[in-house]
Amino acid sequence: MQLRLNSGWLALVFLAGVFSLLYLWFTLFPGRAVPEAGYYFSAEQVNQGRQYNMSLRLVYICSFLVEVSFLLWLVLSSRVVDLARWVQRATGDSYWGGLLLFFLIIWLSLQFLSVPFNLYSGYFLQHQWGFSTQTFGAWWVDYFKSAGLGLFLSIVGVVLLFWAINRWPGTWWLACAAFVSLWFVIQTFFWPVVIAPLFNRFTPSKDPAVLSMVHELSEKARLPVSQVLIMDASRRTTKANAYFAGLGRTKRIVLYDTLLADYPLDEVKAVVAHEMAHWNRGHIIRGLALGILGNFFLWGILFVLLRSSVTQFTRYPPHVLALILLFFLLASFAGTPLQNYFSRGMEVEADQVAVSLTGDVPAALRLQVDLAARNLSDVAPSAFMHWFSYSHPSALNRIKLIQHAGDDSLSSNLSR
Ligand SMILES: [Zn+2]
């Protein structure tokens, strides 16, 4: 059975193609940095951030294009049918055996194609720019751990998907969207206590200065923050960061040990306030709700596209998997700007709430300048790059927004 790519598929390929060409163009030719960047950053900082990010972006887009090209070639040539026939014979015509062997071959091929890119951006570039504290061996241990985890979860996903297709030929996409939504919720709850500890050690902060600062903020924000954990990020990188994760009892604020070691306490306070603001405004739940909505939408599109490309409606042959993988690769790339649009909105809100919690605009501004300079952010990206790939507003935009939020809270205090 040959797979057909009709106009729906062509539209998706076209959209991803246009986005990748623009991405490539604005990576290679980002234009001049806006002069305002010079108010907060030296020309060297701006240039270094641009160069470092140019390398990362080139690797990312090349890796994406290689993977898409491979899957497109597989789907459009008759190779995929030959491969499906071969795995069926090799597994003695077992439907599930053939399916799993087919998936394993495609998965291994994709890993093989993408590992040089991951190695370059995750290890060599990080060493070249002085960020990585990891040995070559430690990098591979990380890689095999996350690849193994990914493989295990994907196999469970593939089995459930094909089982659902066979069980509910007309409505499997709803079942799949429901499964994945449930998985999002489970994963959000368990990720901080099950997955994150596989890669890092988390210890509750014992520093009295940090504890009293967190206590003061949590009173102000009216949040019962029981867990502020320090993560041993320094085992991999010198970059600093922090995040907020979990649901219900697994909710926690995580600070990188590099943040505590290299940043003054008032800047750390600005970070904690930002994370509490996410918490306070229910951003995890909002993110989850948006993810679930997007997920139903994606499965619906996949269902329509498969109906037009595959002639039989149940017991899909294994090679349909290649088409499904191609769909998710293209759709997640084409959906990146939408996802980042929502994320930036929440980040802006968190920055604003954080300033009103600390009342310390200068520290919030210094934090943005220090983070961008030390982590080598591209502080003034092209408008396209900002729209497409920034999950947080650029450092320059954040600085402007924080100043604005500071002015607003000052004027509301004066008028009170
Ligand atoms: Zn944030």
Side-chain angles (χ1 to χ4, degrees):
M1 186 181 70
Q2 188 67 43
L3 300 170
R4 289 190 315 250
L5 294 190
N6 63 0
S7 52
W9 281 100
L10 291 182
L12 183 60
V13 172
F14 179 76
L15 186 66
V18 169
F19 281 167
S20 36
L21 281 181
L22 286 170
Y23 191 99
L24 198 58
W25 177 268
F26 285 105
T27 296
L28 295 172
F29 311 106
R32 272 176 190 283
V34 288
E36 287 161 286
Y39 297 156
Y40 306 97
F41 303 96
S42 71
E44 199 194 344
Q45 282 172 333
V46 174
N47 284 335
Q48 284 202 331
R50 289 196 133 198
Q51 272 176 29
Y52 170 64
N53 282 283
M54 182 192 270
S55 309
L56 285 179
R57 286 170 192 156
L58 263 182
V59 174
Y60 164 72
I61 195 68
C62 290
S63 172
F64 170 74
L65 289 173
V66 165
E67 287 178 58
V68 167
S69 308
F70 167 71
L71 286 175
L72 267 178
W73 166 78
L74 207 62
V75 167
L76 292 174
S77 72
S78 55
R79 305 286 157 123
V80 76
V81 182
D82 298 342
L83 181 65
R85 273 203 208 108
W86 179 83
V87 295
Q88 221 110 61
R89 250 180 294 143
T91 52
D93 269 333
S94 145
Y95 179 71
W96 293 104
L99 192 68
L100 288 180
L101 182 60
F102 185 89
F103 174 71
L104 200 65
I105 291 170
I106 303 287
W107 184 86
L108 281 172
S109 312
L110 287 173
Q111 291 294 316
F112 184 73
L113 289 173
S114 63
V115 78
F117 296 103
N118 290 335
L119 185 62
Y120 184 68
S121 66
Y123 182 80
F124 288 108
L125 263 181
Q126 300 306 315
H127 273 280
Q128 189 188 325
W129 287 91
F131 286 128
S132 184
T133 54
Q134 248 187 331
T135 62
F136 196 54
W139 188 87
W140 281 105
V141 170
D142 273 357
Y143 174 79
F144 281 112
K145 253 196 240 173
S146 60
L149 194 67
L151 178 64
F152 170 73
L153 292 173
S154 309
I155 287 177
V156 174
V158 166
V159 169
L160 279 177
L161 167 64
F162 277 72
W163 175 78
I165 290 174
N166 294 336
R167 180 105 172 66
W168 301 291
T171 48
W172 57 263
W173 65 279
L174 278 171
C176 287
F179 278 145
V180 176
S181 302
L182 183 67
W183 169 244
F184 281 169
V185 178
I186 293 174
Q187 189 197 296
T188 308
F189 184 81
F190 284 106
W191 184 86
V193 283
V194 178
I195 308 294
L198 295 176
F199 295 91
N200 282 96
R201 203 176 308 155
F202 297 84
T203 41
S205 171
K206 289 195 189 79
D207 183 338
V210 172
L211 289 178
S212 78
M213 176 266 282
V214 170
H215 181 71
E216 182 208 321
L217 280 176
S218 79
E219 297 255 285
K220 252 193 195 160
R222 295 201 192 90
L223 283 176
V225 181
S226 50
Q227 299 250 55
V228 173
L229 299 175
I230 313 298
M231 180 179 113
D232 60 345
S234 57
R235 66 192 285 176
R236 292 194 183 83
T237 184
T238 58
K239 289 183 184 177
N241 211 337
Y243 65 83
F244 157 52
L247 267 183
R249 277 185 20 227
T250 68
K251 252 188 202 171
R252 74 242 350 252
I253 287 174
V254 174
L255 304 176
Y256 281 25
D257 57 355
T258 44
L259 182 79
L260 289 170
D262 302 333
Y263 289 70
L265 194 64
D266 60 348
E267 291 180 30
V268 176
K269 185 177 179 181
V271 173
V272 175
H274 174 95
E275 302 308 328
M276 278 186 192
H278 278 309
W279 191 327
N280 180 277
R281 293 298 156 116
H283 285 171
I284 287 221
I285 297 288
R286 211 193 296 175
L288 209 52
L290 285 170
I292 288 173
L293 207 69
N295 166 48
F296 271 88
F297 184 64
L298 275 185
W299 285 102
I301 299 180
L302 176 66
F303 176 75
V304 173
L305 287 180
L306 282 188
R307 283 250 149 163
S308 66
S309 324
V310 188
T311 39
Q312 75 197 66
F313 291 155
T314 57
R315 290 190 81 79
Y316 278 162
H319 56 280
V320 174
L321 244 178
L323 210 55
I324 295 173
L325 290 174
L326 177 65
F327 171 78
F328 280 111
L329 193 60
L330 290 172
S332 62
F333 178 75
T336 307
L338 191 66
Q339 217 175 331
N340 283 333
Y341 169 80
F342 288 118
S343 168
R344 284 195 305 270
M346 291 194 264
E347 295 302 334
V348 167
E349 196 180 23
D351 275 345
Q352 285 165 341
V353 173
V355 167
S356 70
L357 278 179
T358 61
D360 191 352
V361 174
L365 292 175
R366 253 188 294 116
L367 170 72
Q368 292 306 325
V369 173
D370 283 350
L371 274 177
R374 286 173 191 241
N375 289 357
L376 281 183
S377 308
D378 179 1
V379 295
S382 61
F384 170 80
M385 205 47 90
H386 194 260
W387 172 78
F388 189 88
S389 65
Y390 273 57
S391 62
H392 293 59
S394 70
L396 213 51
N397 283 353
R398 289 182 86 171
I399 288 170
K400 273 190 244 167
L401 286 161
I402 289 167
Q403 276 171 336
H404 198 68
D407 295 344
D408 283 355
S409 72
L410 190 68
S411 59
S412 69
N413 280 340
L414 287 175
S415 63
R416 224 179 271 151

